[in-house]
DNA sequence: GGAGAGGCATC
DNA sequence: CTCGGAA
DNA sequence: TTCCGAGGATGCCTCTCC
């Protein structure tokens, strides 16, 4: 790959070309065609502009490539738009180049301290003022981290591979090991396939964690693994990757941010409990109550990314570390070894009290009883793992299958919101309410947009509009008349809903045409479920 | 010095 | 995190 | 199968405003 491309001269490629590409990608449905369009565009740009372009384009990459935490959201953009509309920014010259846009965002991201919001607003306004309406539209979507043009990690990687003339598998592997699209683009274009294949796992360079897929039930999970699975408790905490070399320990979150400073107690546990000179281990951090039972996820979150008062909170909310995989030990990557072998190595690497509870099962009854035990002890469920599977960084694999029981409630829809994107024109997000026996009215316990098919959304929209009471902004209030059966994983305490409760991971299972709103579940029932959860989990200290 | 808004991370 | 749609 | 985009609740952080 050469340097700049032909014909753009010293100014570089205008951002408007990138916007046109977005429009083209958005209008293209074929996957291969998208990859080709983007790949050729990147190739035409050359190294220096391709990296900013890929960072801007793929929404999420913007957060991962030197632009972590831009600090700009809907509100800030709105203000910048107003400023651009008022201002004389248009005098400042024509359409900005891709590089100019990228550099301005980099500057906006690095602004901090007093006056930084104003600085960000001015930077954005300066760019917006030089853009036409189409450019502005895509630019805003890039800022929000959601370009919605059907190109995210997967296709972006294929396009990078195409532009660099390397195997897409090399790019995908590199992404899994680096966790950063911009960095993959840089290496692919700079060093080619060798540069990508040469990337290795090494302490203090976190990799994307392997993810579990969903099992429909215990028996089918077992069947998918050939009749025999390893079972592990699925802990309700936060994923962590522990890196160690000598005395040095660093802890990375699921999205690879360094959370070491928030977790000094976990660092201590790792220091004393992990023995190899070098190690990269996978696990979960959980909050633990006085009785040794896991505390609600909400309680863990009071600790997880905290940077103030960490010392004081260590005493109030102690954490424990549970490890379940070994990724790298003493110079050796273990990701291609089978699960069974990795688990053996893990057991040699750390003390017993750091190991997640595990069993081997070859019958559905064993799976059921292990699941029952996990739930009784206050955990989220279990994960069934194929004994032979490799560790596949960054991929959701059926070698790991999560099994989480859920409950259901019958709730009334009391309001709905107009959807965006492919859901525009439909009421797609429903406010769910339980009956409040004290007032005789309905009290909201959460919202959901999940579970209906396109066809059902269409029909539900019509039904709800028939019950419409009032409308303000995107929200349409309706008379409670539709009852839906809602599945959820847990009842949480809510600081925002007047009911005091919120459902975690609520999704609609079916419409209960056979039920009247007067027959739906009550707030008392929800409180009962919450109390029941707390019997299995530890109770958070006040 | 505290409250509130906005943004980002976890699930 | 969950779910449905599309390739 | 894999990828994408529709959007959920929550808690902490930073910055601005009063």
């Amino acid at each position: 790959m050469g340097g700049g491309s032909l014909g753009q001269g010293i100014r570089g490629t205008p951002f408007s070309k990138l916007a046109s590409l977005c429009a083209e990608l958005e209008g293209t449905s074929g996957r291969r065609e998208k990859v080709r369009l983007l790949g050729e565009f990147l190739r035409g740009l050359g190294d220096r502009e391709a990296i900013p372009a890929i960072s801007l384009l793929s929404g999420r990459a913007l957060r991962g490539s030197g632009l972590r935490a831009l600090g700009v959201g809907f509100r800030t953009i709105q203000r910048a738009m107003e400023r651009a509309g008022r201002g004389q920014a248009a005098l400042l010259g024509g359409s900005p180049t891709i590089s100019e846009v990228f550099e301005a965002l980099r500057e906006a991201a690095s602004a901090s301290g007093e006056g930084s919001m104003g600085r960000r607003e001015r930077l954005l306004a300066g760019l917006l003022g030089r853009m036409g309406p189409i450019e502005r539209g895509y630019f805003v979507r890039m800022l929000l981290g959601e370009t919605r043009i059907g190109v995210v990690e997967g296709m972006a990687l294929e396009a990078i591979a195409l532009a660099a003339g390397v195997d897409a598998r090399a790019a995908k592997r590199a992404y899994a090991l680096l966790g950063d699209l911009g960095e993959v683009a840089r290496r692919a274009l700079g060093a080619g396939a060798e540069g990508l294949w040469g990337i290795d796992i090494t302490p203090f360079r976190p990799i994307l964690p392997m993810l579990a897929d969903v099992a429909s039930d215990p028996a089918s999970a077992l069947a998918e693994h050939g009749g025999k699975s390893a079972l592990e408790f699925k802990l309700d905490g936060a994923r962590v990757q522990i890196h160690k070399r000598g005395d040095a320990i660093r802890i990375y979150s699921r999205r690879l941010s360094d959370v070491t400073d928030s977790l000094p107690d976990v660092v201590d546990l790792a220091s004393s409990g992990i023995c190899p000179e070098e190690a990269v281990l996978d696990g979960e951090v959980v909050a633990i109550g006085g009785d040794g039972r896991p505390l609600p996820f909400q309680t863990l979150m009071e600790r997880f990314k905290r940077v103030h008062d960490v010392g004081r909170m260590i005493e109030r909310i102690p954490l424990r570390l549970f490890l379940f995989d070994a990724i790298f030990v003493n110079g050796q990557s273990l990701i291609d070894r089978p699960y069974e072998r990795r688990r053996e190595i893990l057991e040699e690497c750390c003390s017993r009290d750091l190991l997640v509870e595990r069993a081997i099962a070859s019958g559905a009854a064993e799976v059921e009883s292990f699941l029952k035990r996990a739930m009784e002890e206050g955990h989220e469920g279990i994960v069934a793992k194929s004994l032979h599977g490799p560790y596949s960084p960054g991929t959701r694999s059926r070698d790991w299958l999560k099994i989480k029981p859920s409950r259901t409630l019958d709730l009334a829809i009391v309001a709905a919101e107009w959807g965006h994107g492919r859901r525009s024109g439909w009421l797609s997000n429903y406010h769910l309410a339980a009956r409040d026996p004290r007032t005789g009215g309905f009290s909201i316990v959460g919202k959901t947009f999940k579970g209906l098919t396109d066809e059902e959304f269409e029909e539900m929209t019509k039904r709800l509009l028939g019950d419409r009471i009032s409308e303000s902004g995107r929200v349409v209030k309706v008379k409670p008349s539709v009852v839906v059966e809602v599945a959820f994983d847990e009842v949480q305490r809510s600081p925002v809903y007047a009911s005091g409760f919120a459902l975690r991971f609520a999704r609609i299972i079916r419409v209960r045409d056979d039920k009247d709103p007067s027959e739906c579940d009550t707030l008392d029932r929800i409180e009962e479920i919450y109390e029941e959860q707390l019997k299995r989990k530890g109770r958070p200290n006040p």
Side-chain angles (χ1 to χ4, degrees), chain A residues 447-466:
Chain A
K447 303 189 231 175
T448 186
F449 57 94
K450 291 188 275 251
L452 298 192
T453 62
D454 287 5
E455 210 176 323
E456 291 168 322
F457 274 122
E458 184 94 49
E459 198 191 320
M460 183 66 85
T461 301
K462 284 187 198 143
R463 263 181 91 168
L464 292 175
L465 286 177

Side-chain angles (χ1 to χ4, degrees), chain A residues 7-54:
Chain A
Q8 302 304 343
I10 214 160
R11 274 205 72 228
T13 308
F15 178 79
S16 57
K17 297 234 169 165
L18 190 59
S20 306
L21 174 72
C22 285
E24 205 173 350
L25 288 168
E26 194 175 8
T28 306
S29 61
R31 175 194 173 90
R32 302 192 72 82
E33 180 64 5
K34 284 187 154 171
V35 169
R36 189 188 63 77
L37 280 171
L38 178 54
E40 283 176 6
F41 182 83
L42 292 175
R43 188 159 49 194
L45 289 180
D47 306 8
R48 200 131 44 88
E49 290 182 316
I51 296 157
I54 201 75

Side-chain angles (χ1 to χ4, degrees), chain A residues 408-421:
Chain A
T408 70
L409 288 169
D410 294 324
L411 300 170
I413 297 178
V414 297
E417 292 172 35
W418 290 107
H420 298 83

Side-chain angles (χ1 to χ4, degrees), chain A residues 190-206:
Chain A
E194 283 171 46
L196 295 184
W197 288 113
I199 299 164
D200 262 327
I201 296 174
T202 183
F204 312 122
R205 188 163 70 201

Side-chain angles (χ1 to χ4, degrees), chain A residues 366-431:
Chain A
E366 292 169 81
V367 183
E368 297 281 7
S369 77
F370 191 77
L371 175 61
K372 186 158 171 274
R373 219 182 96 213
M375 300 312 292
E376 276 166 2
E377 293 184 27
H379 304 299
E380 209 185 351
I382 62 175
V383 184
K385 298 186 174 179
S386 154
L387 295 169
H388 319 294
Y391 189 95
S392 313
T395 58
R396 196 171 291 286
S397 164
R398 299 203 66 85
D399 284 336
W400 290 7
L401 293 169
K402 52 183 152 190
I403 304 171
K404 294 197 291 182
S406 56
R407 306 168 154 277
T408 70
L409 288 169
D410 294 324
L411 300 170
I413 297 178
V414 297
E417 292 172 35
W418 290 107
H420 298 83
R422 69 187 305 275
R423 301 250 182 113
S424 52
W426 293 336
L427 289 170
S428 85
N429 192 10
Y430 308 119
H431 299 207

Side-chain angles (χ1 to χ4, degrees), chain A residues 111-187:
Chain A
S112 69
E114 204 180 316
S116 57
M117 280 314 291
R119 170 122 192 81
R120 285 194 190 113
E121 216 180 287
R122 278 193 299 279
L123 281 161
L124 295 189
L127 292 171
L128 286 164
R130 295 165 61 192
M131 293 178 179
I134 306 220
E135 286 172 272
R136 279 189 177 192
Y138 286 109
F139 178 56
V140 165
R141 284 152 74 169
M142 291 175 191
L143 290 173
L144 293 172
E146 289 170 343
T147 44
R148 299 170 205 252
I149 53 173
V151 175
V152 199
E153 281 91 342
M155 286 193 230
L157 283 164
E158 287 180 34
I160 290 168
L162 184 65
V166 304
D167 191 331
R169 282 169 299 184
K172 292 192 173 174
R173 173 183 177 277
Y175 180 64
L177 298 184
L178 297 170
D180 183 333
L181 278 181
E183 185 63 17
V184 175
R186 195 178 68 74
R187 294 197 190 217

Side-chain angles (χ1 to χ4, degrees), chain A residues 468-515:
Chain A
R468 182 175 171 282
I469 294 172
S470 64
E471 185 160 352
S472 75
R474 303 195 78 87
V475 182
V476 178
K477 278 196 183 155
V478 299
K479 183 167 66 70
S481 93
V482 180
V483 177
V484 284
E485 183 176 352
V486 175
F488 61 97
D489 284 18
E490 196 180 45
V491 174
Q492 296 174 288
R493 282 239 93 110
S494 173
V496 300
Y497 292 122
S499 69
F501 295 106
L503 304 182
R504 177 140 83 138
F505 308 141
R507 61 265 188 194
I508 294 174
I509 297 296
R510 60 179 167 139
V511 181
R512 295 294 306 255
D513 285 319
D514 56 319
K515 275 207 168 184

Side-chain angles (χ1 to χ4, degrees), chain A residues 295-311:
Chain A
L295 294 173
F297 178 74
Q298 283 173 299
T299 309
L300 169 76
M301 291 316 285
E302 292 181 46
R303 280 286 320 270
F304 193 62
K305 297 203 76 187
R306 172 181 290 278
V307 297
H308 295 135
D309 299 323
V310 173

